[in-house]
Amino acid sequence: MSSVQNANSVERALAILECLDSSRRGLNISELSRKLGIPKSSTHVIVLTLERMGYVQKREDSLNYTLGLKAYGLGQGMMKNLSMSETALPHMRVLTDQVRLPSHLAVPDGDQGVYVQKVDAPGLIKIDTYVGRRMDLHCTGVGKIILAYGPPEILERLSTKQVYIRHTPNTVTTPQLLRREVAKVRRAGYAVDDEEEELAVRCVAVPVFRADGRFVAALSVTGTTGQIPMSRIEPLAEQLRQTAGSMFPAPGLE
């Protein structure tokens, strides 16, 4: 096999891993082939290889594949080296104790976001998120914050798309609606995912800035619609702002 073919195979394997990482339910071989434009026979060979090595696994109840523990281990190992996530952790623990909801810290990664820190809340209700998980920007609270305050080229690239993946009936699906939503976030100073990525789940997010005013991350809390009724959104946004402001205080204010 030539070096070009080797590089192509590596690119396809990484694309498959990234695609699986952004899917909650997992994907089967046909779906992966169709989404990525990779021949089904090649997709099958790559997925079986990744499965044998422990990077993907087949769900017991379907033909769908999800990421394996080995892939999660690689992502979590990288995240532990990010000093920002460690700096944020004690502040997020206080926030979660106060609001009794899981908190997340996310940063931009290409045209997606990735969680670099999470603090779970006590209780029986658990949100299916984890450090290293990637998410779409157009339908999540942290994603909208990244689009509103992060590198402008991300919003420019996403605005050239004609349609976006519809996760629920509430998902933004056109560039016109997305730009309108981003403008709304900038006016309010916070973002809301109102059942846009998953039904019955809400998220409130704010930007995190360094002392020099540079945007570095999005901070959020997530819960069910029962845990976050509409009347609770603005109070949560204010608590999030206070927490975000305490992470990187101006010199002399520590």
Side-chain angles (χ1 to χ4, degrees):
M1 183 180 293
S2 70
S3 59
V4 173
Q5 288 174 312
N6 277 326
N8 192 38
S9 295
V10 172
E11 289 177 358
R12 287 175 170 181
L14 291 174
I16 287 171
L17 290 173
E18 290 179 355
C19 193
L20 289 176
D21 189 35
S22 63
S23 172
R24 287 181 176 273
R25 63 175 180 83
L27 297 165
N28 60 41
I29 299 248
S30 296
E31 290 171 324
L32 285 167
S33 172
R34 186 169 59 253
K35 282 177 174 287
L36 298 173
I38 302 173
K40 189 173 179 180
S41 58
S42 300
T43 304
H44 186 257
V45 170
I46 294 171
V47 169
L48 289 184
T49 301
L50 291 171
E51 182 182 23
R52 177 171 52 81
M53 297 180 69
Y55 289 100
V56 305
Q57 60 187 10
K58 183 184 285 187
R59 297 179 65 105
E60 293 182 1
D61 57 345
S62 73
L63 296 176
N64 289 359
Y65 287 86
T66 60
L67 290 185
L69 292 177
K70 206 167 181 181
Y72 289 131
L74 285 177
Q76 290 181 1
M78 180 192 71
M79 296 307 168
K80 288 178 181 177
N81 293 326
L82 293 179
S83 60
M84 180 178 63
S85 66
E86 296 305 313
T87 299
L89 184 56
H91 302 277
M92 293 171 63
R93 284 174 174 157
V94 172
L95 173 67
T96 291
D97 284 344
Q98 290 174 340
V99 302
R100 315 300 285 179
L101 294 168
S103 56
H104 302 87
L105 190 73
V107 297
D109 185 22
D111 288 342
Q112 290 186 304
V114 60
Y115 290 129
V116 296
Q117 191 58 273
K118 176 186 179 181
V119 176
D120 266 317
L124 297 177
I125 299 176
K126 299 298 180 184
I127 302 298
D128 182 24
T129 54
Y130 50 86
V131 171
R133 180 180 181 270
R134 301 166 69 89
M135 79 291 296
D136 292 330
L137 301 180
H138 68 284
C139 60
T140 57
V142 293
K144 294 176 188 178
I145 290 294
I146 289 170
L147 290 175
Y149 297 96
E153 60 268 21
I154 300 178
L155 179 59
E156 290 172 9
R157 283 196 299 269
L158 261 65
S159 294
T160 64
K161 297 178 65 173
Q162 294 305 305
V163 293
Y164 306 99
I165 297 174
R166 181 188 291 273
H167 295 272
T168 77
N170 295 340
T171 304
V172 169
T173 55
T174 68
Q176 293 81 10
L177 290 174
L178 181 64
R179 285 192 290 268
R180 191 180 307 166
E181 186 69 14
V182 169
K184 178 181 174 183
V185 169
R186 288 171 177 161
R187 288 195 302 271
Y190 66 88
V192 178
D193 163 8
D194 188 10
E195 301 185 77
E196 295 166 53
E197 186 187 35
E198 186 174 351
L199 290 174
V201 174
R202 281 198 182 108
C203 168
V204 184
V206 301
V208 178
F209 301 99
R210 291 196 183 274
D212 60 4
R214 181 164 52 93
F215 170 80
V216 291
L219 175 69
S220 72
V221 291
T222 306
T224 65
T225 50
Q227 292 174 313
I228 307 181
M230 299 302 290
S231 60
R232 196 184 180 192
I233 288 176
E234 288 200 12
L236 283 175
E238 181 55 34
Q239 287 178 287
L240 282 160
R241 286 193 197 98
Q242 293 176 10
T243 300
S246 70
M247 289 182 182
F248 301 101
L253 298 180
E254 290 89 340

